[in-house]
Amino acid sequence: MTITLDSLEPALSVRQVLTLERVLAGEPEVVAGASHLDRPVRWVHVAEAADVGVMLTGGEMVLTTGVLLAGDEDKQAEYVRSLHRAEAAAVVLGLGRAFPAAPDVMRRAAERCGLPMVVLHRPFPFAELTEEVQSRLVRRKFAAVSLSEAVRTELTALITAGAPLQRLLDEVARHSACPVVVTNLAHRVLGTAGERPAVDDVLRDWERIARQAGGTEGDGWIRAELGGRGERWGRIVLCGYRGDTATGRLLADRAAEALILHRMLGGGAACSWEEQSAQSLLTDLVSGVVPARQLLPRARAAGLPVNRRTFVPLVVRDGDPARLERLLRLLGLPGLVAELADGATAVLLSLPRDQDAGALAAHFATRLRTETGPDHTVVAAAEPRAAWDDVPTGLREAQHVADAVADSSAVLDLPPVVRLKDVHLRGLVRLLRDDPHVQSFAERELDGLLRDTDEDLLPVLRTYLATGRNKSRTAQLHHVSRPALYRRLESIQVRLGVDLDDFEQAASVHIALLAHDAQQQ
């Protein structure tokens, strides 16, 4: 996509030209075509020839005294029609000897053609008008080209530095001073930038707005297509751009060039941007930094059904996001998938309220564990939420449950979907792991082992307590004989100064070990 100086439309409309001081000095009056004054003026041309239309290329404001048209009404009408055929922007007639008043024939012809016709009631040097307008057009074209190169340089530098999509969009929004939205061909929002309140206003009813504005560039909605090799896969939209259309279109084209290059160099497909969009949304929901109500327009624009729905927050441990996306599509479950930190992937299901949310979540988890194996995947869930505002709490609860079983899934017999009630004491300790009193308790109870260089004792103690002090199971899991296990348990009791056969002492050590493990996560 190449932008040249000649391809740029001018920044002045007929209406703007008529407000210039030098033009106002000629007392201009619009006598025809008043509803077409927003036509862009590409150039100003002074011409007295009756056949001037053949010399025009479109967009010119033609200045004339009509000296060669006086007395011949057929010529006057044909003169206006020829300007219309040449797609002139307007005709300006200086009143004087040839025409002391606006000729009715020209005025009626201009009105029928929709060609703005302006008369100047006071003598006016056309050279001053052409000088003023031409200089403004040249300055604006130069400014537009300078902007184009500046934007290209800045976006290219960001791409070279490995900047993410969001950083590029932020830069485009800074230059355009309006919300910027990137969508796929189904109008699903892949990325946004700009002032948050303004972006939210755009996204609040995005699908309807996007489809309404899909074929026009009115009201500052300027779009550029994204794609390559004859295939389109998305578009970038400047929403409510307040500058002139030509500069906005140039800016959108430059942004599109950068986004296409970003995708090519990244080696990814357009769906990777969908993943980034979901990740940004779910990360904001989990963090709670942005109120859920403010994130609702983004969720809706990302394609998540939000009206009269039941939301099921899930967190999957060691789950491949691409696999989870495919499974959702296969099961026909609407939802968003996003990779979080530490090997966790958030899945937010959005289900109709008449469906059994618990059964569908269990079906999803069972299919997933069938594919990956029960020892490799933990599906943690919060209770279904009927209100969008409760989703962040639900996601944090599911993440807490997933963390609580992260280091014990090989030992515990877990249901397909693990909930808060399934993690018992382990879940409570996870919640309290950052409390200094709990940390001090864990250090004090386990001091004899933590200072020991025998790395086998702590895992043996962990398994022994997790299996309910089952010696046979512990020996089996650690591949040692019963006598060997007895010796290790005796060594543990000596170092800790406890009797593991005493329930209270064993419980105290168990809690300390859970707290220690939670602090290491």
Side-chain angles (χ1 to χ4, degrees):
M1 184 184 306
T2 302
I3 305 295
T4 64
L5 182 63
D6 290 337
S7 69
L8 295 174
E9 292 183 10
L12 292 177
S13 65
V14 175
R15 189 187 309 278
Q16 289 172 318
V17 171
L18 297 181
T19 62
L20 299 178
E21 284 190 29
R22 292 189 179 183
V23 179
L24 291 175
E27 297 182 5
E29 179 189 0
V30 179
V31 296
S35 61
H36 300 278
L37 295 182
D38 290 321
R39 284 183 174 181
V41 176
R42 187 179 63 82
W43 209 243
V44 177
H45 191 65
V46 180
E48 297 294 350
D51 58 350
V52 66
V54 299
M55 308 175 192
L56 306 180
T57 58
E60 295 91 349
M61 174 178 278
V62 177
L63 310 181
T64 183
T65 61
V67 65
L68 300 181
L69 303 175
D72 191 331
E73 292 187 347
D74 290 339
K75 278 188 177 182
Q76 294 169 21
E78 176 56 26
Y79 180 81
V80 172
R81 288 193 293 267
S82 68
L83 294 181
H84 170 65
R85 289 193 297 269
E87 298 183 348
V91 59
V92 178
L93 176 66
L95 301 181
R97 293 181 187 176
F99 292 104
D104 288 338
V105 172
M106 293 182 68
R107 183 180 56 77
R108 289 194 298 269
E111 192 65 49
R112 283 194 297 271
C113 293
L115 176 70
M117 180 175 176
V118 181
V119 297
L120 301 174
H121 289 279
R122 293 176 63 87
F124 185 87
F126 283 168
E128 291 187 10
L129 175 57
T130 56
E131 178 185 7
E132 174 76 11
V133 175
Q134 314 299 44
S135 63
R136 285 175 178 263
L137 292 178
V138 169
R139 286 198 303 271
R140 291 184 180 235
K141 285 186 176 182
F142 178 77
V145 173
S146 297
L147 171 65
S148 170
E149 291 308 308
V151 171
R152 169 188 281 163
T153 300
E154 291 172 12
L155 294 181
T156 301
L158 289 173
I159 294 172
T160 304
L165 171 66
Q166 188 60 53
R167 183 68 185 86
L168 269 65
L169 296 183
D170 288 341
E171 191 67 19
V172 176
R174 184 177 70 84
H175 282 287
S176 64
C178 70
V180 175
V181 177
V182 174
T183 76
N184 62 15
L185 297 182
H187 304 288
R188 178 174 176 179
V189 174
L190 308 181
T192 63
E195 294 293 332
R196 196 73 255 167
V199 172
D200 288 346
D201 285 343
V202 169
L203 297 184
R204 193 156 283 115
D205 196 12
W206 169 255
E207 186 171 349
R208 181 186 63 80
I209 294 174
R211 293 185 186 280
Q212 271 189 350
T216 65
E217 289 191 344
D219 298 326
W221 283 67
I222 300 174
R223 62 194 47 77
E225 301 298 327
L226 303 174
R229 299 179 181 177
E231 181 182 2
R232 293 188 303 124
W233 43 264
R235 58 179 59 89
I236 182 170
V237 186
L238 307 186
C239 307
Y241 181 72
R242 295 307 176 195
D244 67 276
T245 301
T247 303
R249 189 176 298 121
L250 182 149
L251 183 56
D253 287 341
R254 283 290 180 250
E257 289 178 356
L259 296 186
I260 293 169
L261 179 61
H262 181 272
R263 178 190 174 191
M264 291 172 57
L265 294 181
C271 63
S272 67
W273 289 3
E274 294 177 351
E275 293 167 3
Q276 291 179 38
S277 174
Q279 182 174 18
S280 173
L281 173 60
L282 291 185
T283 299
D284 286 346
L285 279 169
V286 170
S287 70
V289 173
V290 182
R293 182 59 52 181
Q294 294 183 20
L295 297 173
L296 188 58
R298 287 170 58 187
R300 184 183 290 111
L304 185 73
V306 295
N307 295 328
R308 296 182 296 278
R309 309 292 286 191
T310 297
F311 302 101
V312 183
L314 305 173
V315 171
V316 181
R317 276 288 176 185
D318 301 320
D320 175 31
R323 181 193 295 273
L324 298 176
E325 283 272 14
R326 288 194 298 271
L327 184 56
L328 286 183
R329 289 195 295 269
L330 178 64
L331 299 178
L333 297 176
L336 295 179
V337 176
E339 188 172 6
L340 304 178
D342 301 325
T345 301
V347 180
L348 180 61
L349 302 181
S350 175
L351 307 174
R353 289 185 176 175
D354 59 353
Q355 293 186 351
D356 188 336
L360 289 174
H363 181 52
F364 169 77
T366 301
R367 286 291 300 269
L368 180 62
R369 296 183 75 179
T370 299
E371 293 184 9
T372 61
D375 293 339
H376 295 89
T377 302
V378 172
V379 179
E383 292 303 318
R385 262 55 179 180
W388 173 258
D389 288 344
D390 295 332
V391 169
T393 304
L395 284 168
R396 288 193 290 272
E397 179 183 315
Q399 188 174 34
H400 162 66
V401 173
D403 288 344
V405 297
D407 59 351
S408 59
S409 58
V411 175
L412 300 179
D413 184 17
L414 298 173
V417 178
V418 186
R419 302 185 186 277
L420 195 58
K421 63 182 179 62
D422 300 313
V423 295
H424 306 296
L425 179 61
R426 189 179 300 273
L428 175 63
V429 171
R430 279 276 176 169
L431 286 176
L432 301 175
R433 65 179 177 174
D434 294 327
D435 188 300
H437 297 291
V438 174
Q439 295 171 0
S440 176
F441 169 77
E443 291 290 325
R444 184 173 61 253
E445 289 289 303
L446 301 175
D447 181 62
L449 283 184
L450 297 179
R451 290 188 290 106
D452 199 277
T453 57
D454 190 341
E455 297 181 355
D456 290 336
L457 296 182
L458 202 61
V460 168
L461 175 63
R462 183 180 293 112
T463 304
Y464 179 62
L465 295 173
T467 58
R469 295 182 292 175
N470 187 320
K471 294 182 175 64
S472 297
R473 180 64 173 153
T474 302
Q476 180 184 15
L477 289 173
H478 284 273
H479 307 290
V480 298
S481 65
R482 290 283 293 268
L485 175 66
Y486 294 155
R487 288 193 295 272
R488 294 184 186 183
L489 291 176
E490 180 63 31
S491 180
I492 290 171
Q493 293 181 104
V494 170
R495 283 167 172 78
L496 296 182
V498 299
D499 178 5
L500 293 179
D501 289 330
D502 180 87
F503 176 79
E504 185 174 339
Q505 294 184 55
S508 180
V509 172
H510 194 187
I511 294 172
L513 186 57
L514 291 176
H516 170 75
D517 289 344
Q519 292 157 17
Q520 307 309 307
Q521 299 299 318

